[in-house]
Amino acid sequence: MGNYIIKRLLVSIPLLLIISFLTFVLINLSPLDPVEVVLHAQDVPNITDELVTQTKEELGMNKPFITQYVHWIMACLHLDFGNSYVTGKPVWSLVGPAFLNTLKLTLVSSIIIIVLSIILGVLCAMKEGKAIDKLVRCVSFFLTAMPSYWLASIMIWYFSVKLDLLPTSGLDSYKSYILPVTVIAISYAGIYFRVIRSSMISNLNEDYVLYARACGLRESKITIHILRNSLQVAVSIFCMAIPIILGSTVVIENVFAWPGLGSLSVKSILSRDFPIIQAYVFILAVAFVLFNIISDIVNASFNPQLRKDV
């Protein structure tokens, strides 16, 4: 297993290098000159050629492209993404706290989604074709089809404005998690529980289930065995759910004014703060690669045959 993990990590290094290169190229794809963006952000009234040249030297933008990239990627390894064009502060001092806030929201939401998906998946699989199965699938389809910003707005109006029970925005206490987590859970649990249901139904028709019932094994124990085998199929989806939610909290964070990466990225895009945008894209890309590795490792621990494929 140790050799498999090492090989899997080594395989991901070229992918991370490609991602980092594309992320760095992002700043050069903009039609705007990064130096002019910096000077405009600093409210410089008169931008001259001499000032542009001087700023390029200060920022190291007068060096060859490859040299700039190597310097940037080596700095990123130390969590140094440069300074914000707008505030002049180190990017990590802004991105770090925002990333932690987004990660908290993502982890809490993921736990709720996984628990709900397992409960609903098992319930619908054991009651396949019955009224409860049809009702849960119908409701989940309806809720999943709702735009998250619209659902969030309705919940804010009802629970925060009309009932005055929960805060509308910010991160002040545990109550601040309730509405955004609920919206995220509703948006994703309806998708992932179908995976559990489908896998459970598939396992219900296996020979070992028939043999266990013939041997008089209790139905609760049979269900546990079926669930364990079903989760082996769903583990990849659940592992990748975390980075997917991490990257899709932009809308929710802006609706609830959550001080996370999503809100920070939107502000940075509007102000053309390229270093923060680069850091945001790079962090999300690394998160996807990291959780993909974790997914493979978990799957390999369940299925030893997969360790021979790398």
Side-chain angles (χ1 to χ4, degrees):
M1 190 65 187
N3 291 333
Y4 174 82
I5 295 174
I6 293 173
K7 290 179 181 179
R8 192 63 188 82
L9 290 173
L10 291 176
V11 168
S12 66
I13 291 177
L15 178 60
L16 288 172
L17 288 175
I18 294 172
I19 291 172
S20 66
F21 182 77
L22 294 176
T23 303
F24 184 76
V25 171
L26 177 69
I27 194 173
N28 296 283
L29 295 179
S30 172
L32 299 174
D33 188 344
V35 175
E36 293 185 6
V37 173
V38 174
L39 296 175
H40 281 300
Q42 295 174 353
D43 294 327
V44 177
N46 186 21
I47 300 176
T48 62
D49 293 338
E50 292 79 7
L51 186 58
V52 170
T53 303
Q54 179 184 349
T55 306
K56 281 187 176 181
E57 291 179 359
E58 293 175 354
L59 298 176
M61 293 182 180
N62 59 335
K63 298 178 181 179
F65 178 79
I66 296 299
T67 303
Q68 293 183 48
Y69 167 70
V70 172
H71 176 76
W72 180 77
I73 191 61
M74 294 304 294
C76 287
L77 295 177
H78 298 87
L79 298 180
D80 180 9
F81 296 95
N83 295 328
S84 167
Y85 287 172
V86 176
T87 64
K89 297 179 180 178
V91 170
W92 185 249
S93 67
L94 302 172
V95 172
F99 174 72
L100 289 178
N101 290 335
T102 298
L103 186 61
K104 292 176 185 176
L105 179 62
T106 300
L107 291 178
V108 173
S109 301
S110 298
I111 292 172
I112 299 298
I113 290 170
I114 291 172
V115 172
L116 275 177
S117 298
I118 292 175
I119 293 175
L120 293 176
V122 172
L123 176 65
C124 290
M126 302 308 293
K127 303 292 184 181
E128 181 188 5
K130 297 184 179 179
I132 185 66
D133 177 35
K134 295 179 180 179
L135 177 62
V136 170
R137 284 191 292 159
C138 181
V139 172
S140 69
F141 180 80
F142 175 74
L143 293 176
T144 304
M146 287 185 178
S148 56
Y149 63 87
W150 184 70
L151 181 61
S153 300
I154 291 177
M155 296 188 72
I156 288 175
W157 169 78
Y158 186 75
F159 291 104
S160 300
V161 177
K162 188 174 182 179
L163 300 181
D164 195 23
L165 294 176
L166 299 170
T168 59
S169 60
L171 177 54
D172 300 322
S173 64
Y174 73 92
K175 290 184 178 181
S176 301
Y177 285 86
I178 296 176
L179 288 182
V181 167
T182 301
V183 174
I184 295 174
I186 289 174
S187 300
Y188 287 94
I191 299 174
Y192 293 119
F193 100 89
R194 292 188 180 91
V195 177
I196 301 294
R197 177 186 178 275
S198 176
S199 184
M200 287 278 293
I201 292 174
S202 177
N203 276 277
L204 278 169
N205 298 320
E206 294 291 333
D207 293 337
Y208 74 88
V209 176
L210 181 62
Y211 179 76
R213 285 172 176 164
C215 292
L217 197 65
R218 284 187 300 176
E219 197 66 29
S220 58
K221 288 188 176 182
I222 296 176
T223 303
I224 292 174
H225 283 294
I226 295 173
L227 178 59
R228 185 180 62 185
N229 293 333
S230 301
L231 288 178
Q232 293 181 23
V233 178
V235 65
S236 299
I237 298 175
F238 283 143
C239 285
M240 293 309 297
I242 297 178
I244 290 173
I245 296 171
L246 186 69
S248 62
T249 56
V250 176
V251 174
I252 299 302
E253 288 186 3
N254 280 277
V255 171
F256 291 101
W258 188 271
L261 273 181
S263 300
L264 181 63
S265 66
V266 171
K267 293 177 183 177
S268 301
I269 291 171
L270 294 176
S271 62
R272 298 181 177 86
D273 201 343
F274 292 126
I276 293 181
I277 299 172
Q278 282 183 316
Y280 173 73
V281 173
F282 184 68
I283 289 172
L284 286 185
V286 171
F288 270 91
V289 173
L290 177 62
F291 279 97
N292 188 38
I293 293 173
I294 293 173
S295 172
D296 290 343
I297 292 173
V298 173
N299 277 325
S301 65
F302 284 130
N303 186 359
Q305 186 64 32
L306 295 176
R307 304 173 200 172
K308 302 177 183 179
D309 297 337
V310 176

